[in-house]
Amino acid sequence: MTDVNGLSYTFNNGYVNTIRKSTNCVLRNKMATKVILGAEKIPVPTGFMLPVASKAAIKCFVQDMGYPVCIKPVSGKGGKGVFPSLNSEVSVDKALNFLENKTKYILLEESLTGFDARVITVAGKVVAASLRLPANVLGDGTNSIAQLIEDKVKLRLENKIQRARSLKIDHEVIHSLDMQGLTPESIVEAGVFVKLRNNSNLSTGGESVNITDKLSKSTIEAVEKAVSVFPDLVLCGVDVMFEKDPRYESSDFKVIELNRAPGIRGHYYPNEGDSIDVALLLVDSLFGVK
């Protein structure tokens, strides 16, 4: 831990966290963050906070919203426990059964489709952005999905891509494969894209593409406005969902959430594009280096 300019920061395994209690308490609660951002006219997904045990009430809200829906813990990080595209009562029940012993409250949101991005700000200014792709493998017509995952883990380690976040087969991977009619033992045709998770978090095996130079002026302005609501967030990771691929055209988008302790490894070792030294930019900001 270190103190700079009256604020305290913790540094741990690629994460940096501002620990001012007022901001942390709000950002831990995704619903509170959504309400505050919405009040500032920043586009956010429609959503409600509900007790995970109130399954009947949740189902009523789902019926009013219509499928697909997203369900996730009201507090959490790394994409853990996030079910972004539930399209049936059975899938909602499975998500709630999984979450009932892990959280007291869930956030029920409209399910957004499009292109998921993480935008990093330092001292309120955008400095880096990555398009995030869900964990995946490409079929080769010979090896099982399990073997393809093992091969990809080795490749990621060799290339220093998310070294501490190896892909692994867990309940979320099993669920994603099941939705595609597959199992870890399945062999798929060469070139077929197999999505291993429904979220695109780098901490759960996602992949990053540097799009810093592709962001439109309106996107940068909206992200910086969102972060300005919490002025003590010297470093922030803003999750954004674009309607269209930001590498090729500008489009409408919504701010999903703000992360007070964003991982920065993905900007050093992107799967595609140049590396950005976010840590150096942060240190320069903290110590007033011009």
Side-chain angles (χ1 to χ4, degrees), residues 85-124:
S85 187
L86 303 173
N87 54 17
S88 69
E89 184 173 346
V90 172
S91 62
V92 168
D93 281 335
K94 288 182 179 180
L96 295 177
N97 290 339
F98 173 78
L99 291 170
E100 62 184 355
N101 295 321
K102 295 176 173 59
T103 182
K104 291 184 178 180
Y105 294 93
I106 58 99
L107 189 58
L108 174 66
E109 289 185 329
E110 62 175 317
S111 180
L112 300 179
T113 58
F115 297 83
D116 180 19
R118 163 65 62 82
V119 183
I120 296 289
T121 63
V122 171

Side-chain angles (χ1 to χ4, degrees), residues 34 42-48 72 108-112 254-257:
K34 179 194 301 289
I42 295 166
V44 294
T46 302
F48 309 92
K72 57 187 174 184
L108 174 66
E109 289 185 329
E110 62 175 317
S111 180
L112 300 179
K254 291 187 177 181
V255 174
I256 308 301
E257 61 185 61

Side-chain angles (χ1 to χ4, degrees), residues 127-128 130 208 210 212 264-279 281:
V127 299
S130 292
S208 64
N210 185 345
T212 308
I264 58 178
R265 278 198 186 91
H267 301 286
Y268 283 90
Y269 303 109
N271 296 77
E272 294 181 30
D274 296 332
S275 171
I276 295 180
D277 195 341
V278 175
L281 295 171

Side-chain angles (χ1 to χ4, degrees), residues 39-253:
E40 296 295 327
K41 307 301 182 184
I42 295 166
V44 294
T46 302
F48 309 92
M49 185 174 75
L50 297 162
V52 69
S54 301
K55 294 184 179 180
I58 292 171
K59 290 179 181 179
C60 286
F61 274 90
V62 170
Q63 288 179 351
D64 288 341
M65 293 174 66
Y67 293 106
V69 296
C70 171
I71 290 178
K72 57 187 174 184
V74 76
S75 178
K77 61 182 182 179
K80 295 178 180 178
V82 176
F83 296 85
S85 187
L86 303 173
N87 54 17
S88 69
E89 184 173 346
V90 172
S91 62
V92 168
D93 281 335
K94 288 182 179 180
L96 295 177
N97 290 339
F98 173 78
L99 291 170
E100 62 184 355
N101 295 321
K102 295 176 173 59
T103 182
K104 291 184 178 180
Y105 294 93
I106 58 99
L107 189 58
L108 174 66
E109 289 185 329
E110 62 175 317
S111 180
L112 300 179
T113 58
F115 297 83
D116 180 19
R118 163 65 62 82
V119 183
I120 296 289
T121 63
V122 171
K125 299 298 182 182
V126 171
V127 299
S130 292
L131 185 66
R132 304 191 300 179
L133 307 177
N136 66 85
V137 292
L138 289 178
D140 63 2
T142 302
N143 292 293
S144 67
I145 292 174
Q147 182 59 53
L148 293 174
I149 291 174
E150 183 177 337
D151 292 343
K152 195 160 194 176
V153 168
K154 293 178 181 177
L155 181 63
R156 288 160 67 93
L157 292 174
E158 290 173 1
N159 293 336
K160 298 182 180 180
I161 296 174
Q162 297 299 303
R163 181 182 294 277
R165 295 168 172 78
S166 296
L167 289 169
K168 61 180 180 180
I169 297 176
D170 56 19
H171 71 278
E172 291 185 13
V173 170
I174 297 296
H175 174 73
S176 181
L177 292 177
D178 182 60
M179 296 294 289
Q180 299 167 79
L182 301 169
T183 71
E185 291 71 39
S186 298
I187 297 174
V188 296
E189 294 180 7
V192 172
F193 182 93
V194 179
K195 186 168 68 172
L196 300 177
R197 297 187 189 279
N198 289 319
N199 68 66
S200 302
N201 295 70
L202 301 184
S203 59
T204 55
E207 300 178 358
S208 64
V209 178
N210 185 345
I211 59 167
T212 308
D213 295 334
K214 304 294 184 180
L215 294 182
S216 67
K217 181 180 178 181
S218 61
T219 301
I220 293 173
E221 290 175 346
V223 168
E224 292 181 350
K225 181 180 179 182
V227 175
S228 72
V229 178
F230 306 98
D232 60 318
L233 274 176
V234 178
L235 177 69
C236 184
V238 184
D239 292 342
V240 177
M241 183 69 77
F242 292 95
E243 286 187 2
K244 300 177 182 178
D245 193 328
R247 290 174 292 183
Y248 307 112
E249 55 186 320
S250 60
S251 66
D252 291 337
F253 59 88

